Structures are given as C-alpha cells and as structure tokens.
Amino acid sequence: MITKRIIPCLDVREGRVVKGTNFEGLRDVSSPVELAKYYSKCGADELVFYDITASSDGRKLFTDILCETAKNVFIPLTVGGGINSVEDFDRVLKCGADKVSVNSGAIANPKIIGEAAKLYGDQCVVLSVDIKRVDGVFRVFAKGGREDTGLDAVEWIKRCVSDGAGEVVVNSIDTDGVKGGFDLEMLEAVCNAVSVPVIASGGAGNVGHFIELFKKLPGADAGLAASIFHFGEVKISELKQEMKKNGIPVRI
C-alpha cells in the first residue's frame, strides 16, 4: 500500500521563510537552509520550497538560496516560484530540485506543462493551484492569491493533468493559515476529477486534521503544512505515530 506523505512547506521571501494567514500578513520564521536541514532529519517525507513573491515581483527564483538548501536536503525537494518557461525548469532542476512546481506560469502559458513533461517526465511536473470560493464556485487565483483568473479550478486541474502534470498541490486560500482543518470539500472535488497524486495544502492546525484528511479522503496522497511545523505545534514524528495508530499507511 502506498504510504501517505507529510510535507513541510517553506514559503520564502527575500531569502527568509515567512508565514501568514489567507496569503496575507506575512511574518519572519527562519532561514530556509536551517529549516530544510531540520525537516530532512526529523522524518518529513518531502519538502516544498516556494519563492512566494517571484511571480508577483516579475523576477526569477533565488537560485543561490535554493542551491544551498538543496545541498542540505536528503529527501525529495519540490521547488516553485517564478517558473514561466522550460528554461526555468532546467535552471531549478540544475540547482538540485527533484520536482518543479508551476502555478502562475502555467496560467500565463498553459503549454509549459506539456513542454516540461516531454523534456523531464510527468513525475517532475507539479501543478500548484491557489483556489478560493467565489460565489460558491472554486476559482483559480494567480500572483500568490492576489488575482482572480476567472478559471474554474477543477476544469483547470483536469486540463493540466491531461497535458502532463504528474502531481497536484491544492492550496485552499479560504483555509490557509486559519488552522481549522483542510478544505475537504475542495479536495474531494479534485481527487474525484484526476488520477494523479493530490497534495492537500491549507488549514492544518493539529494532528487530528491530518487523521481526518486521510480517513475521510483516502484519495488524498499527502498533507502539506507550514506554520504548525515551523513553530513546533505539531512534531512530524508524533504525527506519524498517530497516523500509524489510526491505520493510515505511513513511513516511520
């Protein structure tokens, strides 16, 4: 049976890890290199590194910090932020990333998914989608959750998966940083629409929220979180032991 993954997320701005609520009110947390070292040692299955203002600032991702982070990580590393071309995929992979996450870049140029999948393989292409309810409809937002694209989220995800995205990160803006639990309704809609791995992001506040995610949505492949891990509210080793007790397949 495939084990469920626990993935800490490093949201990086100007070389520092930051965290906010509903994509706003960012505060400083730590050095990405030091946090990456910590998570690599304490049982995380993978690590996600997002340069969260690269797209909105119209610049490329910080490669020096990424290279240093990748050197200190011995688990799969997914990197995103400012990915707008296959050249950006190439640059980030050469810095040590295992997978590349594309969000706003795919909205601006949907062909990037298929082009990157052909060059590097589907398993390397991660579609990250920032989703918010607008009048009861799941809508895709761009530029770090600042811009409503008008795209239907589920239809967009289906299109990108058919083009070659091998994994989907579902970021719920409605639940981000609120710590009230994952957005199960949104995640269920995505899991029912595609057959590739789906990673739940946004809303985890305690161990029980991860148990609820995997129990109620067995189709979800991983749970991603930031602040609860960064600030020690949930320890990954304890979370995994609790998952095991609840019969959820997990790597200890």
Side-chain angles (χ1 to χ4, degrees):
M1 189 177 287
I2 296 173
T3 57
K4 302 300 185 182
R5 292 171 286 154
I6 300 300
I7 307 174
C9 177
L10 309 183
D11 290 324
V12 181
R13 182 182 68 172
E14 296 173 1
R16 298 286 294 177
V17 176
V18 295
K19 190 64 190 116
T21 302
N22 302 125
F23 284 32
E24 296 178 349
L26 300 176
R27 59 179 170 145
D28 186 84
V29 176
S30 181
S31 149
V33 177
E34 292 309 310
L35 261 187
K37 283 182 188 176
Y38 168 72
Y39 287 131
S40 189
K41 290 175 184 172
C42 77
D45 295 297
E46 296 187 16
L47 193 63
V48 169
F49 177 115
Y50 287 140
D51 186 339
I52 59 170
T53 57
S55 290
S56 58
D57 291 351
R59 60 169 171 77
K60 294 188 182 296
L61 185 143
F62 291 122
T63 51
D64 53 345
I65 296 161
L66 171 57
C67 287
E68 190 59 30
T69 302
K71 279 184 206 168
N72 289 281
V73 172
F74 304 102
I75 52 178
L77 175 64
T78 298
V79 176
I83 307 298
N84 297 300
S85 65
V86 290
E87 288 77 22
D88 290 328
F89 268 80
D90 188 64
R91 183 169 54 86
V92 168
L93 291 168
K94 283 177 177 170
C95 286
D98 298 284
K99 294 184 271 190
V100 181
S101 175
V102 62
N103 188 328
S104 295
I107 295 165
N109 173 25
K111 290 181 181 177
I112 190 175
I113 298 280
E115 290 170 357
K118 281 175 188 166
L119 281 170
Y120 306 110
D122 293 11
Q123 80 290 340
C124 186
V125 182
V126 179
L127 175 71
S128 179
V129 191
D130 298 331
I131 308 173
K132 187 174 183 178
R133 287 169 179 79
V134 178
D135 298 326
V137 177
F138 297 132
R139 290 269 272 277
V140 177
F141 277 66
K143 304 290 175 68
R146 297 170 182 83
E147 181 184 294
D148 183 355
T149 65
L151 290 167
D152 178 279
V154 175
E155 290 307 312
W156 170 245
I157 290 168
K158 284 166 67 175
R159 173 184 173 178
C160 292
V161 168
S162 69
D163 285 347
E167 192 165 80
V168 180
V169 178
V170 177
N171 306 303
S172 171
I173 298 174
D174 295 324
T175 60
D176 176 69
V178 177
K179 301 182 182 177
F182 290 102
D183 196 326
L184 299 180
E185 181 190 20
M186 183 183 292
L187 289 160
E188 183 175 26
V190 176
C191 287
N192 288 341
V194 296
S195 56
V196 299
V198 173
I199 298 170
S201 171
N206 56 50
V207 168
H209 289 150
F210 286 90
I211 305 300
E212 179 185 48
L213 168 70
F214 296 125
K215 286 277 194 181
K216 290 190 175 178
L217 280 183
D221 289 80
L224 181 150
S227 60
I228 59 166
F229 296 144
H230 299 342
F231 300 120
E233 295 164 49
V234 171
K235 288 188 168 52
I236 291 174
S237 58
E238 293 173 4
L239 165 58
K240 288 189 161 188
Q241 289 296 340
E242 200 59 34
M243 288 169 64
K244 186 178 179 183
K245 281 184 198 172
N246 280 272
I248 298 166
V250 63
R251 179 183 69 87
I252 301 292

